[in-house]
Amino acid sequence: MNDVDAHNNSNARNDFDDENDFDDDMFANLDASTHATVAAPDFHGYRSGFVAVVGRPNVGKSTLMNALIGTQIAIASSRPETTRKAIRGIVTTEHAQMVLVDTPGIHRPRTLLGQRLNDIVDESLSDVDAIAFLLPADQEIGPGDRRILSRLRSDFATKNKQGNWSWKVPLIGIVTKIDMLNRDELVHHLLEIQQFADFTDIVPVSALTKDNVDEVKKVLIDNLPEGPQMYPEDQLSEETPESMIAELIRGAFLEELDDELPHSLAVVVDDIVYPGDGEDTQYDDNKAHVLVSVYVERDSQKPIIIGHRAEHLVRVKKRLRTAVNRITGTKAVLDLHVKVAKGWQSDPKKLERLGF
């Protein structure tokens, strides 16, 4: 059972259908105290739930998510289509726990990888308690935004005879990158967004400058249902150490490399060998060794990844030293190997081996 299922089961109704082999009379003599044991749980105002963070590529989903959590969970990059998986970050307060699901940007797929990313979005949206729809303040509402709204309406809304939409879950409009506009421009843009959809609420924010991040957190939590705490209060993510390190490495290369390469890049952490892992380990330096395969699609791309005298590999290792040490809980060494998986973005078997 996954965490979404577990959360939904916690809110399941305590009733029985006609298919169950129960005799109605068997409940007739139950006293009030017995009935109380099957009543809906009282969470005393505690709220919990899953919030899907959706929007076009490069609208600031990962940056906002990291700002809400208070640390880097998802890759935040200026490159579009950076996120390739549904990353769950956990925000816990005294009275609530919110699980943010950072989805790949919804877009028209050009490769099998692109289609797989859209499938990830479908899975992420299948069972959420609220949706945060991100719209950048510095861009006009476009066809991509309208396509996303249509998709959300088909899954989460109904239309009445008057032509008005009613949402099954709260739809929160998050207007990102407000630091790019002056006050008058922002007011004009907010009015346009208000006309765009029947949002439950609209909140402007700049995750980069931390402007209004707390208000975003408050609005999202206020729109969650009452429910139990699902994770330990100090847990910030569902990601494994291997997954977190792989994403950090890919993000570092995204910033390091030329524009034409990033979407041909995949990173897999093959193993983490911790100090004292078995007697036959080849390492005796009392450090964790993170064994990483960096995949490209063509032989000609390997030198781009490696750089002159391995300068790109060296810079990525230096940039991530502290983050990787924190994830492994000890001093760590990144062991990067660049490999070729020809045409992996359109090869089903290779996509599966690479985790898609």
Side-chain angles (χ1 to χ4, degrees), residues 221-287:
I221 287 175
D222 286 348
N223 279 280
L224 292 178
E226 289 192 351
Q229 180 175 321
M230 299 173 287
Y231 299 89
E233 63 182 28
D234 59 347
Q235 185 172 342
L236 300 178
S237 174
E238 281 191 344
E239 303 304 300
T240 64
E242 290 82 359
S243 177
M244 293 176 68
I245 293 172
E247 285 295 280
L248 285 175
I249 292 170
R250 191 168 65 86
F253 275 116
L254 287 179
E255 296 303 320
E256 185 75 25
L257 301 173
D258 294 333
D259 290 341
E260 71 272 9
L261 184 59
H263 297 302
S264 299
L265 186 69
V267 179
V268 176
V269 173
D270 301 306
D271 196 10
I272 302 177
V273 182
Y274 289 92
D277 275 0
E279 298 179 358
D280 298 328
T281 178
Q282 66 189 73
Y283 310 110
D284 57 3
D285 54 4
N286 205 33
K287 295 180 180 179

Side-chain angles (χ1 to χ4, degrees), residues 62 74-75 81-87 102-105 117 247 250:
S62 298
I75 296 177
E81 300 178 33
T82 300
T83 302
R84 284 182 177 167
K85 57 189 295 185
I87 298 174
D102 179 26
T103 63
L117 298 186
E247 285 295 280
R250 191 168 65 86

Side-chain angles (χ1 to χ4, degrees), residues 68 178 203-206 209-217:
L68 289 168
I178 62 172
V203 191
V205 67
S206 171
T209 63
K210 304 296 189 293
D211 184 6
N212 221 35
V213 170
D214 287 341
E215 181 64 17
V216 172
K217 183 186 300 185

Side-chain angles (χ1 to χ4, degrees), residues 14 34-42:
N14 295 293
T34 305
H35 280 292
T37 64
V38 296
D42 182 2

Side-chain angles (χ1 to χ4, degrees), residues 83-328:
T83 302
R84 284 182 177 167
K85 57 189 295 185
I87 298 174
R88 290 181 176 180
I90 304 164
V91 178
T92 304
T93 69
E94 183 180 355
H95 302 293
Q97 187 169 79
M98 172 172 59
V99 183
L100 298 165
V101 185
D102 179 26
T103 63
I106 300 174
H107 62 288
R108 292 189 184 278
R110 299 183 298 274
T111 63
L112 182 58
L113 171 63
Q115 182 57 56
R116 292 281 173 88
L117 298 186
N118 278 353
D119 292 342
I120 291 172
V121 175
D122 285 338
E123 185 177 350
S124 302
L125 289 173
S126 63
D127 209 345
V128 295
D129 300 289
I131 300 169
F133 187 172
L134 271 59
L135 296 153
D138 63 335
Q139 300 175 33
E140 296 296 323
I141 295 171
D145 300 310
R146 286 187 280 272
R147 186 164 58 248
I148 293 170
L149 179 62
S150 176
R151 184 171 179 174
L152 292 175
R153 280 173 169 168
S154 67
D155 291 338
F156 295 101
T158 56
K159 194 174 185 179
N160 61 25
K161 294 180 180 179
Q162 289 74 37
N164 298 319
W165 291 92
S166 176
W167 291 95
K168 301 174 186 176
V169 299
L171 179 71
I172 313 301
I174 309 293
V175 185
T176 61
K177 306 183 182 182
I178 62 172
D179 54 297
M180 305 293 289
L181 302 181
N182 62 40
R183 182 177 177 83
D184 290 340
E185 291 171 332
L186 178 59
V187 170
H188 176 73
H189 195 64
L190 289 174
L191 290 173
E192 289 182 342
I193 289 174
Q194 190 174 20
Q195 299 299 316
F196 173 58
D198 301 311
F199 288 112
T200 307
D201 208 336
I202 298 175
V203 191
V205 67
S206 171
L208 191 63
T209 63
K210 304 296 189 293
D211 184 6
N212 221 35
V213 170
D214 287 341
E215 181 64 17
V216 172
K217 183 186 300 185
K218 179 182 182 302
V219 169
L220 292 177
I221 287 175
D222 286 348
N223 279 280
L224 292 178
E226 289 192 351
Q229 180 175 321
M230 299 173 287
Y231 299 89
E233 63 182 28
D234 59 347
Q235 185 172 342
L236 300 178
S237 174
E238 281 191 344
E239 303 304 300
T240 64
E242 290 82 359
S243 177
M244 293 176 68
I245 293 172
E247 285 295 280
L248 285 175
I249 292 170
R250 191 168 65 86
F253 275 116
L254 287 179
E255 296 303 320
E256 185 75 25
L257 301 173
D258 294 333
D259 290 341
E260 71 272 9
L261 184 59
H263 297 302
S264 299
L265 186 69
V267 179
V268 176
V269 173
D270 301 306
D271 196 10
I272 302 177
V273 182
Y274 289 92
D277 275 0
E279 298 179 358
D280 298 328
T281 178
Q282 66 189 73
Y283 310 110
D284 57 3
D285 54 4
N286 205 33
K287 295 180 180 179
H289 284 253
V290 184
L291 311 182
V292 182
S293 295
V294 180
Y295 291 95
V296 292
E297 288 193 296
R298 299 190 300 275
D299 289 314
S300 61
Q301 294 172 334
K302 286 184 67 175
I304 301 175
I305 290 285
I306 296 170
H308 180 60
R309 295 184 179 178
E311 62 180 343
H312 292 157
L313 299 183
V314 171
R315 283 206 288 263
V316 165
K317 288 180 181 181
K318 285 184 177 179
R319 179 182 297 182
L320 297 181
R321 181 180 297 153
T322 301
V324 173
N325 288 349
R326 187 182 301 119
I327 292 171
T328 60

